[in-house]
Amino acid sequence: MATSHRQRGVTLIEAVIVVAIAAITASSAAPAFNRFIEKQRLDGAAAQLAADLHFTRAESVLRNSSLRLTVQTTPWGSCYIVHSGAAGECACPESGPAQCTGDAREVKTVQWPAAQKIALQGNVGSILFDPLHGTSTPTGTLKVVAASGRALHHVVNVMGRVRTCSPQGSVAGYAVCA
């Protein structure tokens, strides 16, 4: 009497084929996933900066004293400081709160280490918010830039209002900068 023996499971060749297909699929999805992660970092950092620009203007009016938002680029990354006093009176250390001299007082410090692959640039080093009129001087553009070069710009007008745009439409979902 002959008994038939049926094979169960998969052969080594079948397993290798499945692993190869999975590797090809994962490698083709990785660049899209990296772009997605970068866009999320860029959106988050830009939203935080926009909120802090609004905060600085409102806090200036609330305290009835001038506040400024100072932008600094350092070898370890980028940062901005919300503070009272003159533009050069506060500096960003690599970690911890800002170090201020003279009459300047730090209200808030935000640091973006280079490892985050997000940098902050500006055509002005500092923007002063006036509590009496709610205005800002000088007007300026603060740029949140990803390692790939994609960027979001925050344009601060004389009334202290912020408009966000993307140069050449490099980031979907934002108006193109004019």
Side-chain angles (χ1 to χ4, degrees):
M1 181 172 337
T3 57
S4 67
H5 182 22
R6 298 189 88 179
Q7 176 185 355
R8 294 185 188 210
V10 295
T11 65
L12 180 61
I13 292 176
E14 291 170 333
V16 168
I17 291 171
V18 169
V19 169
I21 291 171
I24 291 169
T25 304
S27 68
S28 66
F33 187 67
N34 287 340
R35 284 184 60 86
F36 172 76
I37 295 294
E38 179 183 75
K39 183 180 184 307
Q40 295 306 310
R41 282 188 183 139
L42 194 60
D43 282 342
Q48 180 181 24
L49 177 59
D52 285 339
L53 284 162
H54 293 293
F55 165 79
T56 305
R57 181 176 182 234
E59 192 69 13
S60 173
V61 172
L62 180 69
R63 292 175 182 223
N64 195 27
S65 78
S66 296
L67 288 179
R68 77 175 55 244
L69 187 134
T70 299
V71 175
Q72 295 180 349
T73 302
T74 64
W76 55 263
S78 305
C79 77
Y80 61 89
I81 311 162
V82 176
H83 64 93
S84 62
E89 290 186 322
C90 290
C92 284
E94 190 167 348
S95 63
Q99 298 168 345
C100 298
T101 60
D103 292 336
R105 299 288 173 256
E106 180 239 3
V107 175
K108 182 175 187 173
T109 302
V110 176
Q111 299 164 327
W112 295 339
Q116 285 186 348
K117 299 180 181 177
I118 298 290
L120 180 59
Q121 303 168 355
N123 65 348
V124 295
S126 183
I127 299 175
L128 179 69
F129 291 86
D130 174 29
L132 183 60
H133 301 102
T135 59
S136 63
T137 53
T139 61
T141 301
L142 303 178
K143 305 169 187 176
V144 181
V145 184
S148 69
R150 296 193 310 168
L152 290 173
H153 294 188
H154 291 311
V155 181
V156 183
N157 69 16
V158 73
M159 294 305 297
R161 294 192 178 100
V162 180
R163 176 177 56 89
T164 303
C165 61
S166 174
Q168 295 90 34
S170 64
V171 180
Y174 293 90
V176 176
C177 296

